[in-house]
């Protein structure tokens, strides 16, 4: 909760982030986010996601989930209540090679992106 | 008649046609039809197919409906959003839910009775179909379109391969074909009817990395094979059954059913219970995990299962009536332990047959037992490889058989698999060493 509040605070303080939606670069397999307006902590978290979350699939899956609010495969809501469970699901895949701190950072980023996408 | 009703009536013949076309091969659940429907990769439900992972098991238990969002109750998905209305009204899936698996096997047997040490003569093509109509009715079908050849063994079989190089073992047949009424009357209870492997073992026969069926608990047969007109009973053989099953409290699975056997009045009955501790629950929900601190349960899961089966069979006379009846039962206990890349499957089963040879004069009861331990290690990306070792033991009418199977399975693509097994069998009839290489492609 504290984390979330800090995140939200960071978001509201960051004047540059005050634009609608997310800045998405490229399409399909090359889909990425433009982190230049992210607060520093989220820039770091994005670095983790950009590197770790593309081992088994592209970033498109993650970006589409954030943009639409629906997990693309299960068709279930992808909101702040759901991000942790998806993070845990990815973490527990036998060959994810992810650590808990990495997944925690990813979940924080997803929550940040969701609140950004809502704007 | 409402328009919905009339389109349902129209859809029925279509549906029947679709069902007719749906046939499946021996036992894979993990079928490309599901991958196409849900636009997801095989690894969503499989380690290396056809073995299921935890989520694949939940999908199976959920009657081929995609389990709900992790951490939330499964909603009945009776919505048509994003679907083509006509198809939705008809209850039809948007893609014909059919797929195929082809396998090519090469066997090496130093002691082949005919000197044919390297044998390339077995192959099979199976058709699989499965899915759910509007999340209410699930169905699954495996049809052996073609299977040919048995590997050359150390002893001659009674039906030798012909010179035409087409062994006479092609037996197209419906292996499984069943329908599921999901969550009947809004309860967690599912009804399953048709030809199916009764739910006994934790793992369906196909739910293995290698194809050699395991004695315990599935392919455990007590020899009535010498007896004409019947086949020996094996727990994983598909039967004509009606089953009731349910997931209770997310982590308990119960199943029970009756089996209708040809040629006799008596029905067989069976029951199964399993309990899962840790890991993804039976409904596909991820466990609660604290991302700040570690616990052994983060990656550990343990599933315990038990089952019983009681029934009777007999030797068919020329009118197909079972005679010289054999009353039998089987009981078993199993454990499935998963920790990260390591997977251990252990099972033990025992039983009694009061006339296993269908003798008309001197029935000789026999107690039998089988157990198996299989350990697997998954390497995973970038080399999608599983190594495993199985030890198994069976004691039946013929005596004691021990089998040692080291194997490796490699999937260069998720739908393409190459596996290599070495099967060392120490049986009353002698020692057999068989090396089996197999290439399987599912599409």
């Amino acid at each position: 909760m504290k984390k979330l509040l800090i995140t939200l605070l960071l978001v509201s303080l960051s004047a540059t982030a005050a634009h609608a939606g997310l800045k998405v670069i490229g399409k399909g397999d090359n889909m990425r986010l433009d982190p230049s307006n992210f607060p520093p902590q989220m820039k770091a978290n994005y670095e983790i996601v950009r590197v770790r979350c593309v081992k088994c699939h592209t970033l498109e899956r993650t970006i589409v989930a954030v943009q639409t609010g629906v997990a693309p495969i299960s068709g279930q809501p992808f909101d702040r209540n759901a991000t942790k469970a998806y993070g845990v699901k990815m973490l527990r895949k036998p060959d994810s090679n992810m650590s808990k701190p990495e997944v925690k950072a990813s979940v924080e980023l997803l929550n940040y992106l969701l609140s950004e996408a809502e704007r | 008649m409402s328009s919905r009703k009339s389109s349902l009536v129209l859809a029925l013949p279509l549906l029947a046609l679709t069902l007719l076309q749906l046939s499946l091969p021996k036992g894979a659940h993990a079928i490309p039809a599901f991958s196409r429907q849900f636009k997801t990769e095989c690894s969503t439900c499989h380690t290396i197919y056809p073995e299921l992972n935890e989520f694949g098991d939940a999908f199976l238990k959920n009657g081929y409906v995609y389990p709900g969002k992790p951490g939330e109750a499964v909603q009945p998905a009776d919505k048509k959003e994003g679907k083509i209305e006509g198809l939705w009204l008809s209850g039809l899936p948007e893609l014909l839910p059919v797929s195929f698996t082809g396998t090519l096997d090469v066997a090496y047997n130093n002691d082949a009775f005919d000197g044919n040490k390297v044998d390339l003569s077995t192959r099979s093509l199976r058709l699989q179909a499965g899915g759910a109509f509007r999340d209410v009715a699930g169905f699954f079908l495996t049809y052996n379109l073609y299977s040919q050849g048995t590997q050359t063994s150390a002893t001659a079989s009674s039906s030798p391969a012909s010179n035409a190089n087409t062994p006479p073992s092609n037996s197209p047949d419906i292996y499984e074909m069943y329908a599921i009424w999901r969550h009947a009357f809004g309860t967690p209870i599912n009804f399953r009817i048709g030809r199916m492997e009764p739910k006994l073992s934790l793992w369906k026969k196909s739910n293995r990395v290698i194809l050699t069926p395991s004695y315990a608990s599935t392919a455990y047969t007590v020899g009535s094979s010498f007896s004409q007109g019947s086949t020996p009973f094996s727990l994983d053989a598909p039967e004509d059954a009606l089953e009731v099953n349910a997931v209770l409290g997310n982590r308990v699975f119960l199943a029970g059913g009756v089996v209708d056997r040809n040629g006799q009045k008596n029905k067989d009955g069976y029951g199964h219970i399993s309990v899962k501790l840790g890991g993804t629950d039976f409904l596909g929900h991820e466990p609660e995990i604290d991302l700040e601190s570690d616990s052994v349960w983060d990656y550990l899961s343990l599933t315990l299962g038990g089952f019983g089966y009681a029934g009777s069979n007999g030797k068919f006379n020329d009118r197909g009536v079972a005679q010289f009846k054999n009353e039998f039962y089987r009981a078993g206990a199993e454990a499935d332990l998963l920790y990260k890349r390591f997977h251990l499957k252990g099972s033990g089963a025992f039983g009694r047959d009061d006339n296993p040879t269908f003798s008309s004069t001197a029935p000789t009861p026999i107690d039998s037992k089988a157990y198996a331990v299989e350990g697997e290690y998954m390497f995973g990306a970038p080399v999608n490889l599983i190594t495993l070792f199985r030890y198994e033991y069976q004691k039946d009418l013929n005596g004691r058989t021990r089998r040692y199977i080291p194997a490796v399975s490699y999937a260069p693509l998720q739908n393409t698999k190459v596996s290599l097994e070495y099967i060392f069998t120490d049986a009353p009839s002698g020692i057999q060493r068989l090396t089996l290489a197999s290439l399987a492609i599912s599409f």
Side-chain angles (χ1 to χ4, degrees):
Chain A
M1 194 63 212
K2 224 180 190 172
K3 288 261 145 63
L4 191 72
L5 283 178
I6 295 172
T7 309
L8 287 175
L9 199 75
L10 273 174
V11 172
S12 54
L13 284 180
S14 135
T16 43
H19 58 80
L22 295 169
K23 241 195 216 169
V24 177
I25 311 170
K27 271 200 233 146
D29 289 2
N30 295 319
M31 199 183 263
R32 283 169 295 130
L33 292 175
D34 173 9
S36 53
N37 291 332
F38 290 2
Q41 184 56 53
M42 292 304 146
K43 276 188 180 145
N45 290 355
Y46 177 68
E47 248 340 87
I48 293 173
V49 167
R50 197 182 60 81
V51 174
R52 303 304 248 156
C53 298
V54 296
K55 182 178 177 213
C56 315
H57 51 73
T58 62
L59 265 191
E60 186 182 12
R61 219 171 250 185
T62 309
I63 296 175
V64 167
V66 170
Q67 279 180 324
T68 60
V70 177
I73 296 166
S74 62
Q76 301 285 327
F78 192 85
D79 54 23
R80 261 157 287 184
N81 300 322
T83 46
K84 186 181 166 201
Y86 283 106
V88 165
K89 189 170 185 190
M90 302 305 142
L91 169 71
R92 293 186 65 256
K93 291 185 183 287
D95 57 346
S96 79
N97 278 347
M98 289 193 82
S99 68
K100 279 189 172 184
E102 285 169 338
V103 168
K104 191 165 159 277
S106 308
V107 171
E108 276 164 17
L109 179 81
L110 290 172
N111 290 340
Y112 163 75
L113 294 175
L114 280 170
S115 50
E116 281 299 278
E118 270 168 18
R119 284 153 166 270
Chain B
M1 197 189 258
S2 75
S3 68
R4 182 183 281 198
K5 258 192 190 146
S6 59
S7 47
L8 262 177
V9 168
L10 277 177
L12 277 179
L14 251 176
L15 231 163
L17 206 98
T18 316
L19 270 174
L20 262 179
Q21 292 176 11
L22 313 171
S23 337
L24 293 157
K26 241 164 229 162
H29 330 112
I31 62 170
F34 295 142
S35 215
R36 275 190 278 268
Q37 181 188 350
F38 296 108
K39 302 190 174 53
T40 193
E41 54 268 50
C42 311
S43 65
T44 304
C45 290
H46 294 273
T47 52
I48 287 185
Y49 83 92
E51 191 189 48
L52 295 174
N53 63 22
E54 295 183 270
F55 192 75
D57 184 62
F59 178 69
L60 174 67
K61 290 193 165 67
N62 202 32
Y64 311 114
V65 170
Y66 205 92
K69 182 173 74 171
E72 215 162 77
V74 181
Q75 308 280 333
D78 197 19
K79 293 173 290 185
K80 66 170 185 188
E81 277 122 74
K83 310 231 166 87
I84 299 167
E85 187 178 55
L87 295 180
W88 186 84
L89 287 173
S90 316
L92 289 173
E94 294 185 4
L95 296 168
L96 193 63
V98 172
S99 50
F100 299 88
T101 300
T103 58
L104 287 175
D105 299 326
V106 185
Y108 178 82
N109 184 349
N110 210 18
D111 311 315
F113 77 97
D114 56 359
N116 186 8
K117 292 184 183 179
V118 177
D119 185 350
L120 229 165
S121 70
T122 42
R123 66 208 71 112
S124 71
L125 182 63
R126 306 188 306 254
L127 188 155
Q128 300 127 331
F133 300 130
R134 262 200 231 167
D135 296 0
V136 176
F139 70 95
F140 194 77
L141 179 118
T142 320
Y143 188 79
N144 292 319
L145 293 169
Y146 188 83
S147 67
Q148 187 180 62
T150 36
Q151 300 297 347
T152 304
S153 72
T155 47
S157 84
S158 50
S159 51
S162 77
N163 286 339
N165 207 19
T166 47
S169 50
N170 180 27
S171 52
D173 69 299
I174 287 179
Y175 180 77
E176 293 168 285
M177 179 164 161
Y178 54 82
I180 301 165
W181 178 19
R182 299 183 64 250
H183 300 170
F185 306 112
T187 66
I189 296 173
N190 311 302
F191 288 89
R192 188 157 77 118
I193 188 162
R195 191 155 182 82
M196 68 184 84
E197 281 177 30
K199 178 61 190 176
L200 295 165
S201 170
L202 292 177
W203 317 281
K204 251 181 115 168
K205 186 183 191 169
S206 58
N207 190 355
R208 297 274 178 178
V209 173
I210 54 169
L211 289 177
T212 307
S214 176
Y215 291 152
S217 298
T218 52
Y220 156 38
T221 54
V222 176
S224 47
S225 50
F226 350 90
S227 175
Q228 291 296 311
S230 187
T231 45
F233 174 75
S234 143
L235 287 166
D236 58 2
E239 313 268 13
D240 300 326
L242 170 67
E243 183 179 291
V244 183
N245 63 48
V247 173
L248 299 177
N250 299 4
R251 292 193 173 268
V252 176
F253 184 69
L254 288 172
V258 282
V259 168
D260 175 33
R261 206 171 274 292
N262 289 343
Q264 65 183 41
K265 189 173 75 185
N266 296 357
K267 307 283 179 244
D268 298 356
Y270 64 90
H272 162 99
I273 180 168
S274 44
V275 179
K276 186 164 183 186
L277 309 168
T280 312
D281 70 22
F282 286 150
L283 296 179
H285 305 146
E286 288 302 313
E288 261 311 315
I289 281 190
D290 184 353
L291 291 177
E292 316 265 343
S293 67
D294 291 328
S295 146
V296 273
W297 290 104
D298 290 346
Y299 299 98
L300 182 69
S301 85
L302 176 67
T303 312
L304 302 171
F307 62 82
Y309 188 111
S312 59
N313 55 4
K315 179 175 176 170
F316 287 169
N317 68 10
D318 47 15
R319 290 168 48 237
V321 178
Q323 296 177 310
F324 318 132
K325 298 287 280 293
N326 168 41
E327 305 280 335
F328 63 87
Y329 75 81
R330 302 283 182 271
E334 298 179 318
D336 180 294
L337 186 112
L338 188 65
Y339 185 76
K340 292 191 170 176
R341 295 157 184 267
F342 183 69
H343 198 166
L344 193 69
K345 298 175 175 179
S347 40
F350 60 92
R352 184 179 172 85
D353 292 60
D354 71 4
N355 185 16
T357 55
F358 305 149
S359 162
S360 59
T361 49
T364 328
I366 169 140
D367 293 313
S368 53
K369 65 180 173 194
Y371 50 83
V373 193
E374 185 170 306
E376 274 173 45
Y377 188 82
M378 178 180 184
F379 287 86
V383 188
N384 201 7
L385 186 101
I386 289 181
T387 53
L388 73 85
F389 183 80
R390 182 195 299 167
Y391 166 75
E392 53 190 346
Y393 171 92
Q394 175 170 325
K395 178 180 156 275
D396 65 9
L397 209 59
N398 306 319
R400 290 160 220 271
T401 304
R402 287 183 181 81
R403 218 156 52 169
Y404 306 82
I405 312 179
V408 43
S409 189
Y410 168 57
L413 292 173
Q414 291 184 18
N415 77 328
T416 305
K417 160 178 105 157
V418 189
S419 45
L420 188 68
E421 329 171 20
Y422 176 73
I423 306 167
F424 181 95
T425 311
D426 180 0
S429 57
I431 298 226
Q432 264 207 49
R433 295 177 189 87
L434 185 71
T435 308
L436 197 63
S438 166
L439 169 71
I441 302 175
S442 278
F443 54 92

